[in-house]
Amino acid sequence: MSNEKLLDIKDLTIHYSTDEGVVYAVNDLNLSLERGETLGLVGETGAGKTTTALGVLRLVPNPPGKIISGEILLNGENVVTKREAEMRKIRGNKVSMIFQDPMTSLNPVFSVGDQIAEVVLLHQKVSAKEAMKRAVDMLGKVGIGAERAKEYPHQFSGGMRQRVGIAIALACNPELLIADEPTTALDVTIQAQVLELMKELKVEYNTAMIMITHDLGIVSEICDKVAIMYAGSIVEFANKDELFRDPKHPYTIGLFNSIPDIDGDNDKLKPIKGLMPDPTDLPSGCPFHPRCDQAKPECSQTVPQNVDLGYGHFVKCMLF
């Protein structure tokens, strides 16, 4: 792996203005990814994971959403300042996304072959015939026979539809693939097949990947680095082995404590008390302090800074 940063997000803040008030979806988020690397973006529902991904693609729905501040550098170029026409050349070509629900991310009135070929035609100077040939090749890569290219999404199972989604995302050999909980809608055996497929294709195409998930099992399978997200900011960032061996942030420790351990002798799991804060009304200081067992008085007053613990392990917590 080269040490060149493919993606570098600096102080990104994204808000949604709603009738109920401002939703502070992403707050001062910093994140970087090198070429060919896989990053797990982990957090509960509502932590801001998908909004961050949509920010990279400049697909935050506006209104109500808006990138308030920060930079998103892709190959050193800031996508926040790019015009929509320039973004269209990037989406699906340099950066692709696999969505959570394969049912709704495919167009029901076009055959799956046409939907893959469309991406190729849009971004590469090839004939319609060549685009379709490439679409059929891509289907083969994800384990779907050429004869099914003329079929429609409703003729495929959920797992097969997600394979089509992967084929569409990888059709133009993007440098960065964002996978938004790609296995949530699938049953466990199909999940394992889809993850295995993504691992193989990522290596084959040397694609960097952001895997958005709340499942630490998926992270341990597929990721090189892990970013733990809470209430719109990254509270801990480290390489996978380091994080699994020695989590530091009380929230990360809480996540690990709430996973059953076959070898452990605990009768009960230790859930994290309370609920995620309302993003329209985040607590003062550290957003996790109302739920934290180790909170001190200053945690409710001061927003913790990012502390470098060495070895590329960062944590946002007053304990450090």
Side-chain angles (χ1 to χ4, degrees):
M1 279 179 205
S2 67
N3 282 359
E4 190 185 341
K5 282 184 186 170
L6 172 66
L7 179 70
D8 197 8
I9 302 177
K10 298 179 176 175
D11 304 326
L12 180 65
T13 298
I14 301 175
H15 294 167
Y16 294 95
S17 301
T18 68
D19 296 343
E20 284 77 52
V22 175
V23 176
Y24 299 97
V26 174
N27 308 300
D28 277 340
L29 181 128
N30 290 281
L31 198 58
S32 65
L33 184 66
E34 287 165 19
R35 291 182 186 286
E37 218 173 41
T38 299
L39 170 78
L41 192 56
V42 182
E44 294 169 78
T45 303
K49 308 184 295 294
T50 301
T51 298
T52 303
L54 292 175
V56 173
L57 285 162
R58 282 267 307 283
L59 287 174
V60 175
N62 180 10
K66 191 161 186 249
I67 296 177
I68 302 293
S69 61
E71 295 181 314
I72 302 170
L73 302 175
L74 184 67
N75 284 323
E77 292 184 27
N78 188 2
V79 301
V80 175
T81 57
K82 286 195 180 299
R83 295 196 309 280
E84 180 57 28
E86 295 175 283
M87 285 310 300
R88 283 200 203 106
K89 291 184 179 141
I90 291 172
R91 294 186 201 120
N93 193 23
K94 296 236 184 335
V95 185
S96 278
M97 189 154 174
I98 302 171
F99 293 93
Q100 192 162 359
D101 184 1
M103 191 68 222
T104 53
S105 55
L106 296 175
N107 190 328
V109 299
F110 289 103
S111 72
V112 297
D114 284 339
Q115 293 190 53
I116 303 170
E118 181 188 21
V119 183
V120 179
L121 279 171
L122 198 62
H123 293 297
Q124 312 204 335
K125 292 181 173 61
V126 294
S127 65
K129 192 175 168 192
E130 171 62 27
M132 189 46 105
K133 180 181 173 299
R134 233 185 262 186
V136 171
D137 288 348
M138 268 325 292
L139 283 172
K141 283 260 194 309
V142 297
I144 296 175
E147 69 285 353
R148 301 202 65 184
K150 291 188 172 65
E151 292 183 15
Y152 292 83
H154 73 269
Q155 294 170 280
F156 290 80
S157 66
M160 282 298 188
R161 276 196 291 258
Q162 197 55 295
R163 285 166 183 261
V164 174
I166 293 169
I168 291 172
L170 290 173
C172 291
N173 195 1
E175 295 171 47
L176 173 62
L177 181 63
I178 300 172
D180 187 3
E181 308 211 5
T183 57
T184 301
L186 310 176
D187 65 48
V188 178
T189 41
I190 307 295
Q191 273 192 12
Q193 290 172 12
V194 168
L195 285 174
E196 196 52 45
L197 174 69
M198 287 175 74
K199 257 164 60 174
E200 286 166 15
L201 292 173
K202 184 187 121 21
V203 172
E204 183 177 336
Y205 289 98
N206 191 30
T207 310
M209 183 158 73
I210 296 176
M211 172 65 83
I212 298 174
T213 181
H214 54 256
D215 185 337
L216 287 160
I218 289 177
V219 172
S220 69
E221 277 286 303
I222 225 168
C223 298
D224 306 311
K225 290 188 173 160
V226 191
I228 304 288
M229 195 162 183
Y230 185 82
S233 62
I234 306 279
V235 293
E236 185 160 12
F237 179 87
N239 74 45
K240 175 185 72 188
D241 298 339
E242 170 86 6
L243 189 92
F244 274 64
R245 196 188 74 245
D246 189 17
K248 294 292 192 193
H249 197 281
Y251 177 61
T252 314
I253 293 166
L255 287 181
F256 280 107
N257 284 343
S258 57
I259 302 172
D261 178 10
I262 294 174
D263 306 321
D265 51 3
N266 299 351
D267 298 334
K268 280 190 174 163
L269 294 176
K270 272 176 57 185
I272 304 170
K273 65 182 187 204
L275 296 168
M276 278 277 282
D278 177 352
T280 60
D281 183 24
L282 292 178
S284 61
C286 170
F288 186 60
H289 85 260
R291 301 174 71 186
C292 181
D293 294 337
Q294 305 185 54
K296 305 186 181 112
E298 63 262 31
C299 295
S300 62
Q301 311 295 316
T302 314
V303 177
Q305 296 302 306
N306 220 5
V307 181
D308 187 351
L309 304 174
Y311 309 109
H313 193 156
F314 293 89
V315 65
K316 264 190 181 174
C317 179
M318 301 303 281
L319 295 171
F320 301 93

